Amino acid sequence: MELSLSERERYSRQILIFGEEGQKKLKNARVVVAGVGGLGCPAALYLASQGVGKIRIIDKDVVEASNLNRQTLHWTRDIKKPKVESASEKLKEVNRDVEIEKFLVEINEKNVNELLEGSDAVIDAMDNFPTRFILNEAAVKLRIPFFHGSIYGLEGRAMTVIPGKTACLRCFFSESPPKEVFPVLGSTPALIAMIQVTEVIKYLTGVGRLLENRYLIYDGESMTFREIKIRRNPECPVCGKI
């Protein structure tokens, strides 16, 4: 699919980075955003603004007032509306050239393969590790790159999983942390989501060095970044035999 004149103008600044061929790769890509909350809203917004051709958003929840400090695609008027409906309305206004696929479902072991199949990348924008583990396992088995992000208060974390090449989420986390209602400063998921989106764009266009086998930790309280080097676990129940 070639770029139109309007697309060349719209994306001219990023075309200076990866050229028209890179922009065409974005236009032809389908990216899954699993969760349209604090991470998923800014992630979907910037994927759309940068011209990713198809964005599949998945979420089972409705908008609540307590979401509004961080979930930037949901506004006061959207309270009680399904998040996928609220988000898709805004995304279509951001970029009418982008196709938004919306799924009002809970991700589980029975439907995850169908939800991810045919995609070029998966952004983990969930708020719980059991669902993250389901997504991670499906992405590894389907050989779809998986871009993890998580937050707590003023802290955020990110890693990139390339199936068959890098460690996966289960290599690093053997079990789920305890489930809880955790604190969130609204700007924290926005920052981590931008890291995830940047990784997706880099992967799709072939530009730059990815967060492969590196676990990035952001501490907003001290305004520091550090990374932990990780490696594939040969005994990993998900990727150990791939």
Side-chain angles (χ1 to χ4, degrees):
M1 295 175 64
E2 295 298 318
L3 301 178
S4 65
L5 289 175
S6 63
E7 287 174 321
R8 289 191 183 97
E9 180 179 5
R10 183 182 188 115
Y11 307 122
S12 59
R13 294 299 186 95
Q14 60 196 51
I15 286 173
L16 292 174
I17 301 171
F18 40 69
E20 288 195 15
E21 288 304 312
Q23 190 62 49
K24 283 191 282 187
K25 290 177 181 178
L26 299 185
K27 182 175 181 176
N28 293 325
R30 173 186 276 118
V31 176
V32 170
V33 179
V36 199
L39 290 165
C41 281
L45 175 63
Y46 274 85
L47 290 172
S49 68
Q50 291 172 100
V52 171
K54 293 183 180 180
I55 302 170
R56 179 175 294 175
I57 56 175
I58 309 168
D59 203 300
K60 67 180 179 63
D61 292 329
V62 298
V63 179
E64 300 177 356
S66 61
N67 303 148
L68 302 182
N69 80 316
R70 62 197 182 280
Q71 300 183 17
T72 49
L73 291 177
H74 310 313
W75 303 344
T76 303
R77 72 184 192 203
D78 300 313
I79 290 174
K80 297 185 179 180
K81 184 182 294 184
K83 289 184 179 180
V84 292
E85 296 291 341
S86 170
S88 64
E89 289 174 4
K90 316 302 191 310
L91 293 171
K92 289 174 183 176
E93 289 298 314
V94 168
N95 192 343
R96 294 186 180 274
D97 292 328
V98 171
E99 180 181 341
I100 307 300
E101 302 172 321
K102 53 188 178 182
F103 289 82
L104 180 60
V105 296
E106 181 176 12
I107 298 169
N108 57 50
E109 292 175 342
K110 293 181 179 179
N111 64 16
V112 65
N113 287 349
E114 183 179 354
L115 290 170
L116 301 192
E117 200 163 18
S119 61
D120 299 293
V122 178
I123 288 184
D124 166 21
M126 301 306 301
D127 61 358
N128 69 90
F129 269 82
T131 309
R132 285 191 172 104
F133 285 159
I134 291 172
L135 287 164
N136 172 77
E137 183 170 0
V140 169
K141 288 183 177 179
L142 293 170
R143 298 297 183 104
I144 302 170
F146 179 70
F147 300 85
H148 165 68
S150 62
I151 58 97
Y152 187 100
L154 278 77
E155 182 181 285
R157 305 179 177 202
M159 68 180 289
T160 292
V161 176
I162 307 297
K165 183 179 180 182
T166 71
C168 78
L169 195 61
R170 283 297 299 272
C171 290
F172 196 63
F173 291 96
S174 59
E175 59 184 29
S176 300
K179 189 175 181 179
E180 62 176 321
V181 177
F182 52 87
V184 186
L185 180 68
S187 58
T188 304
L191 187 151
I192 297 302
M194 293 307 93
I195 292 172
Q196 292 174 282
V197 169
T198 302
E199 287 287 284
V200 170
I201 299 298
K202 285 160 55 183
Y203 169 76
L204 293 173
T205 61
V207 170
R209 178 190 176 205
L210 296 172
L211 273 175
E212 296 179 347
N213 291 320
R214 295 184 292 149
Y215 190 69
L216 184 68
I217 301 173
Y218 158 71
D219 185 340
E221 189 170 350
S222 62
M223 198 49 67
T224 57
F225 287 86
R226 62 188 178 95
E227 67 176 48
I228 299 173
K229 291 184 179 180
I230 55 179
R231 64 180 63 182
R232 291 181 67 184
N233 176 6
E235 303 299 322
C236 175
V238 173
C239 73
K241 296 181 180 180
I242 293 179

